[in-house]
Amino acid sequence: MHTISDIIRDIDRGCTANNMIEDKFSYRIVFFVNEGNIGCKHYQDTMYGGLRKSLETIIKGNLSLTNSVVIAGTTALKNGKPVSLQSRPYSFNLNEYFRQVMENCSDNGRRADRMYGKCAVK
């Protein structure tokens, strides 16, 4: 499972690889909200200091039990040309989250309550 910190580290590596000073550029986050076989492409522009908040807003505002969110790319304009800063897309869905919670519950000597995804002490 990926975290927002993983995405920001990836963007930082992209900035370093392209000799960019992070806080001197405006960033465009490209993301998809996928429900079933239908995906909708969205953009959000932000400055470097607002990356974490923007990513949190995108994921929290669009993720639900019936869809997934993919942070497909983050770009910045350098010398008038877009530069891709992410090395890969990052997918978020609640099924993966609940699976990880269930695994953590069973690993800690607890019984996983499958109906609600909560841990109960034996």
Side-chain angles (χ1 to χ4, degrees):
M1 188 163 79
H2 308 292
T3 66
I4 291 172
S5 295
D6 295 332
I7 299 170
I8 292 175
R9 275 193 295 275
D10 196 11
I11 292 169
D12 287 342
R13 283 191 294 270
C15 287
T16 301
N18 289 289
N19 292 328
M20 298 170 65
I21 300 172
E22 293 90 349
D23 61 352
K24 302 295 182 190
F25 294 89
S26 176
Y27 297 84
R28 172 163 282 182
I29 302 168
V30 180
F31 65 98
F32 290 86
V33 178
N34 303 313
E35 187 165 4
N37 294 331
I38 299 171
C40 189
K41 185 176 185 179
H42 301 275
Y43 304 93
Q44 185 163 337
D45 294 326
T46 185
M47 297 302 291
Y48 184 78
L51 272 174
R52 178 173 296 280
K53 181 68 174 165
S54 293
L55 290 166
E56 288 173 354
T57 301
I58 290 167
I59 294 165
K60 289 179 183 177
N62 294 290
L63 191 60
S64 73
L65 291 172
T66 59
N67 66 18
S68 64
V69 175
V70 177
I71 307 297
T74 303
T75 61
L77 289 178
K78 181 179 179 184
N79 299 326
K81 296 181 181 179
V83 176
S84 180
L85 301 173
Q86 279 182 226
S87 64
R88 58 184 296 275
Y90 292 86
S91 179
F92 294 86
N93 67 60
L94 291 177
N95 290 335
E96 184 178 336
Y97 170 76
F98 287 131
R99 182 183 50 76
Q100 184 171 351
V101 168
M102 298 294 282
E103 287 174 4
N104 288 343
C105 289
S106 60
D107 290 343
N108 292 331
R110 297 176 177 181
R111 178 183 57 83
D113 182 344
R114 293 179 190 259
M115 179 180 256
Y116 298 106
K118 298 178 181 176
C119 295
V121 179
K122 288 183 180 178

